Amino acid sequence: MNIYVNQLGYMAKGRKRAVLALDAQAFSAEKDITVFIIGQNREHCVFRKNAVFAGIDKASSDAVWQVDFTEFTVKGRYRLAASGVFSASFEISDDLYKNLLTPLAKTYYYQRCGMELEEKYAGIFKRKCCHREKALLLEDYQKKQSGMNPEPVQSYDVTGGWHDAGDYGRYTTPAATATAHLLYAWKWFPESFQKSLDIPESGSGMADILCECRYELHWLLKMQREDGGVFHKLTSMRHANFVMPCRDRRQMILFPVSSYATAAFAAVTALAARVFRSYDGAFSGSLLAASLKAWMWLEENVQIVDFHNPRGCNTGEYGDDSDTDERLWAAAELYRSTGDRSFLEKAENLKRQCGHEPGIGWRNVSGLAGFALLEDEIRDGKMTAEADGFYTESRLKQQYRIQFMKEAQKAFVLSKKSGYMAAMESEEFEWGSNMLLLTRGMYLAVAWKLCRKQEYLDTVIRQMDYLLGINASGYSYVSGIGEKSVQNIHNRITVSSGNSEIIPGYISGGANSRPVDEKAEWLIEPGTPPMKCFLDLWECYSLNEVTIYWNSPAVFLTAFLGSPELE
C-alpha cells in the first residue's frame, strides 16, 4: 500500500484529502481502512478517520481509497499512517500557498538570459552573464555557412528575456502566453504578490512579479521588425550541449516572422500596456504602440504566415495550424486597452471563426480573449448584467462566461471520476500533462470568482494536491518542495551547475504515456498505466523538462489560493 498526501501541506481551515492505493491485481477487499494522523516523528496518534473505497482508478490501475480529514485543523507537521505504512510528512498551516508562491515565481529570475545572476540574489545558484552576442537573421546565417556571403552582415541586439525551458532558446508565442498568465494573476490577486522575491528590482515600488514580466517584455519588444511583424523565435540552429549558459557560444539566430507569433505579441503587449500605465507611462506607451504596429502587420497579412524549422534545426518549433485564436486574443486585448469598438467587432468575427474550445495554453489562446473581455468582472467577482440578461458592451462576454463555466464543470466532473481527483482523462497524460491539469485549474478559479461555487474551489485544491504529491508516481512535481519532490529536472543550468541542491519551484512536465526520449522509452515498460509513466531523470525531457508556461499557471493558481478572499 502507498499513502499519498499533498507534501506541501493543507490549509488549516481548508479541505484536506489523501489517497491510499494498492495495485489492482493485489486488491481483494473493499472495506474501509482506518487512517491515523501522527506527529512528524511517528509519535502518538492525534486523529483517526476511515478511508473510503473509491474504486479502480483508470489512469493508474490502482485500487483507491480516499480519506477526508478536513475537520482536523490543529497546525503542525504530521504524517498519515495505515496498516504499518507511513506517508510523506506534511504541514497544516495558514500560509502554505503564500510561501509556495515565492519559489514558483522566482524561477523566472533563474531563467533570465543576458545578465549575471549575483550571489546576493541567487545564492548558490549564481551564474555568469550569458548570450550577449548579437544575432543573425536565418537567411544571413545560412548564406554565411554556405560561403555564399562571406562579407559582414547586419546583426541584431536581442539580448535579455527568459530561457524558455530546459534549453537556452527564447520563443515568442510561449513567452507571450506565460507573461499573460503572470499579468492576469497579478491583476486579479494582487495581494498575493506583496512578498519580495529578492531580485535586483525589489523595492522599486512595483510588485516584483511585474518587474520580472517587464524583463521579458523588454526582450519581446526587441523581437519586432520595423514593419511590425515579430520574429518567431531566437535560438541557435541546434540545442546547446549540457553546459552553463555562459559557455554556450553557438550563434543565435532570428527565425522568420510568423503570424501567430505576431498576434500573440500584439495581445500581450496590449495587456501589459494596461498593467504598466500607472507605473511607467512611457513604457506603457511603447508597449501599446508596438501592439498596434503588430496589428497593422496582421491586417496586411490576413492569411496565416506559418513557421517550420529549417533543415538541420532541432530547437523548439512551436508551430501551429491556425492563427485565428491569437488574432482573437490580440483584438480583445486591444479593445480593452484602446476602447476602440472596431477591435471588439474584429474579436466577435474572429470568435465565430474559432471552431475549437477556448484554450489558455500557448497553442490555443482563444480563452485569453475571454480573460480580457471579462477582466473587471473576474477581478470584482461578479458579472455586470443588463435587464434582458445579456451583458454590457458585447454578447461575446456572455458567450465566454458560458464557456468558462462549461470548462470548469468539465474539470469538476473529470476530477470526481478520478481516484486521484485529477481533472484528466487517462488518454490525456501526454507531454506536459501538468500544464493541462493546471490550466483546467485556472478555469475553475475563474469560474469560482464569477459564481462562488464551493465545488469549483474544492476542485482547484484537488489539482494542487495532485501536483504536490497525490498522484500515482508519488512525486511532488514542484522541484524541491516536499519530502519526495522531483530533483533531476531536464534543465541545462541545473544539470551543469554542479550544485548538490535543486533550484526550488520548477514545475515538471509530469506523467507522459507517449514519451519520445530514448531513456524514457527504454525504462518505462509497455503497458504501464498512464499516470505512472514518469521518471525523475534529467535525460527524460519528455517527462521531466520545465518551461516558463508550465510554471505560469502554477503561479496563477497559487496566487488564487493565497488571496485574502479565501481566508
Side-chain angles (χ1 to χ4, degrees):
M1 176 185 292
N2 291 305
I3 304 175
Y4 300 114
V5 297
N6 181 324
Q7 295 175 37
L8 174 71
Y10 303 88
M11 299 292 284
K13 296 179 181 179
R15 294 298 297 268
K16 306 176 189 70
R17 303 177 185 84
V19 165
L20 289 70
L22 283 171
D23 187 290
Q25 293 181 348
F27 161 71
S28 60
E30 297 182 10
K31 63 182 181 180
D32 293 352
I33 299 174
T34 302
V35 179
F36 302 91
I37 300 179
I38 59 174
Q40 178 184 5
N41 298 318
R42 305 185 184 187
E43 300 162 356
H44 60 282
C45 170
V46 295
F47 190 80
R48 70 177 64 193
K49 188 72 180 287
N50 280 350
V52 178
F53 182 66
I56 307 297
D57 177 66
K58 184 178 179 182
S60 64
S61 297
D62 284 340
V64 166
W65 287 255
Q66 297 173 355
V67 57
D68 188 323
F69 53 105
T70 299
E71 63 265 45
F72 184 76
T73 61
V74 181
K75 297 174 186 177
R77 183 160 285 277
Y78 304 97
R79 297 178 189 270
L80 297 187
S83 303
V85 176
F86 294 87
S87 74
S89 65
F90 59 88
E91 186 177 358
I92 294 178
S93 170
D94 289 330
D95 300 320
L96 292 170
Y97 288 104
K98 292 177 182 176
N99 294 334
L100 177 62
L101 186 59
T102 298
L104 289 175
K106 190 161 181 176
T107 58
Y108 292 95
Y109 172 70
Y110 293 121
Q111 289 293 101
R112 285 193 189 186
C113 184
M115 68 173 288
E116 177 187 1
L117 302 193
E118 301 176 53
E119 186 174 4
K120 178 180 179 181
Y121 306 106
I124 63 171
F125 307 117
K126 64 182 180 179
R127 56 180 172 83
K128 296 177 182 178
C129 185
C130 64
H131 302 109
R132 295 294 300 177
E133 299 81 6
K134 291 186 175 181
L136 299 179
L137 296 175
L138 175 64
E139 56 264 35
D140 289 337
Y141 172 79
Q142 290 173 326
K143 288 176 181 178
K144 191 173 180 181
Q145 290 298 107
S146 67
M148 292 173 58
N149 186 10
E151 299 299 320
V153 294
Q154 183 178 359
S155 57
Y156 299 82
D157 176 13
V158 278
T159 54
W162 302 319
H163 298 137
D164 174 71
D167 62 289
Y168 298 141
R170 283 156 284 168
Y171 307 84
T172 299
T173 305
T177 306
T179 304
H181 291 163
L182 300 179
L183 292 175
Y184 275 115
W186 177 82
K187 271 183 163 290
W188 291 333
F189 321 114
E191 298 88 351
S192 296
F193 293 99
Q194 300 305 307
K195 191 173 180 180
S196 171
L197 296 179
D198 194 21
I199 58 177
E201 297 84 356
S202 294
S204 66
M206 186 164 62
D208 284 359
I209 195 67
L210 296 185
C211 295
E212 200 57 72
C213 289
R214 182 174 179 144
Y215 190 82
E216 180 78 337
L217 288 161
H218 275 300
W219 169 75
L220 278 168
L221 289 172
K222 294 179 180 181
M223 292 291 284
Q224 186 172 41
R225 277 191 328 204
E226 284 296 321
D227 67 351
V230 179
F231 293 109
H232 187 78
K233 67 175 181 176
L234 172 69
T235 75
S236 50
M237 186 61 77
R238 300 190 67 78
H239 283 308
N241 295 326
F242 276 80
V243 297
M244 290 297 284
C246 62
R247 294 184 59 197
D248 175 26
R249 303 307 173 105
R250 295 173 186 250
Q251 176 65 57
M252 283 291 162
I253 302 165
L254 281 165
F255 288 80
V257 165
S258 72
S259 54
Y260 33 90
T262 302
F265 171 95
V268 77
T269 49
L271 164 61
R274 297 199 302 281
V275 171
F276 288 97
R277 195 171 286 158
S278 60
Y279 293 102
D280 186 337
F283 183 51
S284 172
S286 66
L287 288 165
L288 186 56
S291 178
L292 289 166
K293 191 175 181 180
W295 182 262
M296 289 177 62
W297 185 94
L298 292 166
E299 291 284 82
E300 294 168 0
N301 295 269
V302 295
Q303 299 299 320
I304 186 170
V305 178
D306 207 353
F307 175 83
H308 296 285
N309 273 343
R311 185 185 299 275
C313 179
N314 77 337
T315 55
E317 186 168 86
Y318 288 105
D320 206 340
D321 56 6
S322 171
D323 64 3
T324 308
D325 52 315
E326 286 87 2
R327 290 175 187 259
L328 167 59
W329 178 28
E333 296 288 4
L334 278 164
Y335 168 62
R336 285 308 310 266
S337 294
T338 66
D340 185 341
R341 291 187 68 86
S342 69
F343 287 115
L344 179 59
E345 292 167 5
K346 285 282 187 183
E348 290 171 335
N349 291 333
L350 288 161
K351 185 68 171 74
R352 284 191 285 270
Q353 298 171 35
C354 244
H356 42 60
E357 295 178 345
I360 47 180
W362 70 266
R363 186 181 290 277
N364 176 3
V365 293
S366 59
L368 292 176
F371 279 23
L373 295 170
L374 296 172
E375 179 183 309
D376 297 338
E377 290 87 343
I378 295 170
R379 180 197 64 213
D380 298 335
K382 60 183 180 181
M383 290 295 295
T384 304
E386 295 288 280
D388 63 359
F390 292 99
Y391 302 110
T392 58
E393 300 180 49
S394 170
R395 296 193 180 197
L396 192 55
K397 281 187 173 184
Q398 186 190 36
Q399 188 176 0
Y400 268 116
R401 183 178 190 266
I402 291 169
Q403 286 189 325
F404 287 171
M405 292 301 178
K406 284 182 177 179
E407 289 298 313
Q409 186 64 22
K410 173 184 175 182
F412 168 71
V413 171
L414 286 172
S415 180
K416 291 286 285 184
K417 287 169 52 180
S418 166
Y420 287 89
M421 298 168 283
M424 301 273 289
E425 300 278 9
S426 58
E427 61 270 18
E428 291 179 323
F429 287 88
E430 301 177 329
W431 196 337
S433 60
N434 284 337
M435 183 190 76
L436 179 58
L437 178 104
L438 291 168
T439 52
R440 283 185 174 153
M442 289 175 69
Y443 279 128
L444 288 157
V446 165
W448 182 86
K449 288 279 288 182
L450 292 173
C451 72
R452 292 302 200 268
K453 281 191 176 182
Q454 183 64 35
E455 62 194 34
Y456 292 161
L457 173 58
D458 289 346
T459 310
V460 173
I461 295 170
R462 289 171 184 163
Q463 307 322 296
M464 293 302 288
D465 286 344
Y466 173 95
L467 187 75
L468 289 156
I470 302 183
N471 60 72
S473 78
Y475 280 100
S476 163
Y477 286 123
V478 186
S479 66
I481 305 298
E483 196 171 292
K484 186 186 176 183
S485 64
V486 289
Q487 298 287 318
N488 302 292
I489 56 176
H490 182 88
N491 181 298
R492 280 163 175 74
I493 293 171
T494 59
V495 172
S496 307
S497 67
N499 281 325
S500 58
E501 295 183 33
I502 185 70
I503 298 174
Y506 281 107
I507 303 298
S508 165
N512 179 3
S513 61
R514 291 180 282 279
V516 297
D517 59 87
E518 184 178 1
K519 194 147 194 174
E521 289 180 327
W522 177 45
L523 291 176
I524 296 177
E525 295 183 7
T528 299
M531 197 188 290
K532 293 181 178 178
C533 291
F534 181 77
L535 298 164
D536 183 24
L537 298 172
W538 67 263
E539 299 96 332
C540 297
Y541 56 85
S542 60
L543 309 176
N544 212 21
E545 191 169 12
V546 297
T547 75
I548 58 174
Y549 53 89
W550 294 344
N551 259 71
S552 55
V555 169
F556 184 101
L557 290 183
T558 305
F560 166 66
L561 291 173
S563 61
E565 62 187 323
L566 295 184
E567 291 179 355

